[in-house]
Amino acid sequence: MRRLFVAGNWKMNTTAAVGSALASALAVEVSKSQPAVDVAVCPPSPYLSTIKAVLGTSPIYLGAQNAYFAAPGAFTGEVGLDMLVDVGCQCVILGHSERRAIFGETDELINKKVAATLQKELGVILCIGELLADRQGNKTEAVLETQLTGGLAGIDAAAMKHIVLAYEPVWAIGTGVTATPQQAQDTHKFIRNWLEKRYNAEVAAATRIQYGGSVTPETAAELLSQPDVDGALVGGASLKADKFIPIIQAAAAVKKSA
Ligand code: PGA
């Protein structure tokens, strides 16, 4: 059975004080209830060390929102993977639609980042997702296939245990429009079938696929109950403890048959 994984993507939000208060509230809750789910927070890079210290011995993972693939050197403004290891990160979000749309990241660049991140023994949350026009034009599967093929080029089956996929329909991110549970399930199933074709049945069965896009305490339980939805990547609702904690609790309460 795949263990559910709920990650909070803080994006370019919070201050050291606000992020610390949030992480502290989450650490108390997650340690107290010891949910049968994995939980991560992904703060902006200037606050990673601060948040790591606040999380202390809590089981919450620390993730970054991006990284550059190259070894330390002349890359003004970039954050390297060695630095993320140094400050205690365990995973990195790569290929988020905001990185693709606003910063022009291509599947080729994302693939270099995926490979370099795995080399540093960090986990990857690889985001994929279609635009509204893609969905309306019946191109969702083709777009996802291109992103998966490009993003995972050269990544072998053994490495897949360090990769979590996040299906985030771009039309659902930050819009308040959530994919219906059926839309999420159908798309996750498509992704799982793709994994079986590209790799094998074991990889398809073991790889966790998070859903992301306007997940809230109200929508989490039904989305997370879908057989192929293995967690959530949460943006806006991860910035408030009283919204993120119920999502973690909803994940912990989900019962799925093997
Ligand atoms: P949202 O963002 O929950 O605010 O829609 C999700 C994401 O971009 O990861």
Side-chain angles (χ1 to χ4, degrees):
M1 207 54 245
R2 294 178 296 272
R3 191 174 155 87
L4 295 196
F5 180 20
V6 177
N9 172 12
W10 296 2
K11 308 193 180 183
M12 201 174 76
N13 293 298
T14 69
T15 59
V18 168
S20 297
L22 174 57
S24 160
L26 298 176
V28 169
E29 179 59 34
V30 171
S31 308
K32 193 169 66 191
S33 54
Q34 293 198 310
V37 293
D38 289 334
V39 178
V41 291
C42 305
S45 50
Y47 304 138
L48 286 168
S49 295
T50 307
I51 301 303
K52 180 75 183 172
V54 172
L55 292 176
T57 57
S58 107
I60 300 177
Y61 294 109
L62 185 71
Q65 298 173 18
N66 183 31
Y68 196 55
F69 63 84
F75 301 100
T76 302
E78 290 296 321
V79 173
L81 289 156
D82 293 309
M83 297 161 196
L84 298 183
V85 172
D86 195 29
V87 298
C89 279
Q90 286 112 342
C91 57
V92 187
I93 298 172
L94 294 173
H96 190 279
S97 67
E98 287 147 20
R99 302 287 331 159
R100 294 174 188 264
I102 305 170
F103 302 102
E105 292 202 9
T106 61
D107 288 318
E108 195 185 351
L109 174 62
I110 294 161
N111 177 244
K112 285 186 180 159
K113 294 182 174 199
V114 170
T117 302
L118 294 174
Q119 273 210 328
K120 297 293 171 187
E121 298 186 357
L122 290 169
V124 171
I125 299 176
L126 174 61
C127 302
I128 55 172
E130 82 286 2
L131 304 171
L132 183 59
D134 299 326
R135 183 157 281 267
Q136 288 172 338
N138 250 333
K139 297 201 186 92
T140 299
E141 295 186 354
V143 167
L144 296 179
E145 187 144 21
T146 301
Q147 292 174 343
L148 286 164
T149 305
L152 294 173
I155 306 299
D156 66 16
M160 285 304 292
K161 58 171 153 318
H162 305 294
I163 295 187
V164 171
L165 298 175
Y167 168 59
E168 300 203 301
V170 179
W171 46 271
I173 295 178
T175 58
V177 181
T178 315
T180 65
Q182 194 59 51
Q183 281 174 323
Q185 169 55 27
D186 290 347
T187 313
H188 282 227
K189 185 76 193 155
F190 167 78
I191 296 166
R192 206 172 295 291
N193 289 341
W194 182 89
L195 287 169
E196 179 159 1
K197 267 189 284 156
R198 164 73 169 82
Y199 294 101
N200 54 50
E202 289 73 44
V203 168
T207 303
R208 292 184 293 184
I209 309 172
Q210 297 174 319
Y211 168 79
S214 297
V215 175
T216 63
E218 292 73 35
T219 57
E222 210 185 336
L223 283 164
L224 293 168
S225 302
Q226 303 305 310
D228 288 292
V229 176
D230 309 313
L233 182 55
V234 186
S238 75
L239 292 169
K240 296 258 183 283
D242 64 357
K243 297 235 182 300
F244 196 49
I245 288 170
I247 295 172
I248 296 168
Q249 289 169 338
V254 165
K255 301 264 178 297
K256 297 190 200 189
S257 46

